[in-house]
Amino acid sequence: MDRFVTVAMREVIFHKPVFVGDLVSFYAETVNVGNTSITIRVIVETERIGLKAEQVRVTEAEVVYVAVDEHRVKTRIKVRE
């Protein structure tokens, strides 16, 4: 079983607020896969419901995760084929 822990959040940028009633969507893409870590870029958008539906980017960030074993020791990422 693969286990990952968050070790860093880089460049968390808050563009706009999220309001009650907004539909929130999270999009993620893999930026880099190393020997023990994975960097993911996360983009958060909302669809504002009102007189005019509007799609707005509200937050974006880069998150770094590290693979750990059952003893919480850093380990190599297992590549599945």
Side-chain angles (χ1 to χ4, degrees), residues 2-79:
D2 296 331
R3 294 178 175 94
F4 290 87
V5 295
T6 306
V7 294
M9 290 191 72
R10 296 189 207 140
E11 293 187 285
V12 178
I13 302 168
F14 297 97
H15 297 288
K16 306 261 181 171
V18 175
F19 299 114
V20 173
D22 284 350
L23 174 64
V24 181
S25 299
F26 292 76
Y27 303 96
E29 67 177 322
T30 304
V31 174
N32 184 50
V33 178
N35 292 323
T36 60
S37 66
I38 299 176
T39 303
I40 306 291
R41 178 175 170 76
V42 180
I43 296 172
V44 182
E45 295 181 346
T46 65
E47 185 175 339
R48 301 211 192 279
I49 307 301
L51 296 176
K52 177 181 146 190
E54 177 184 17
Q55 190 100 10
V56 178
R57 180 172 292 184
V58 291
T59 306
E60 58 187 291
E62 268 193 16
V63 184
V64 180
Y65 300 97
V66 169
V68 295
D69 64 15
E70 62 274 4
H71 305 290
R72 299 183 183 150
V73 176
K74 184 166 52 170
T75 187
R76 292 182 71 78
I77 294 173
K78 297 174 190 147
V79 178

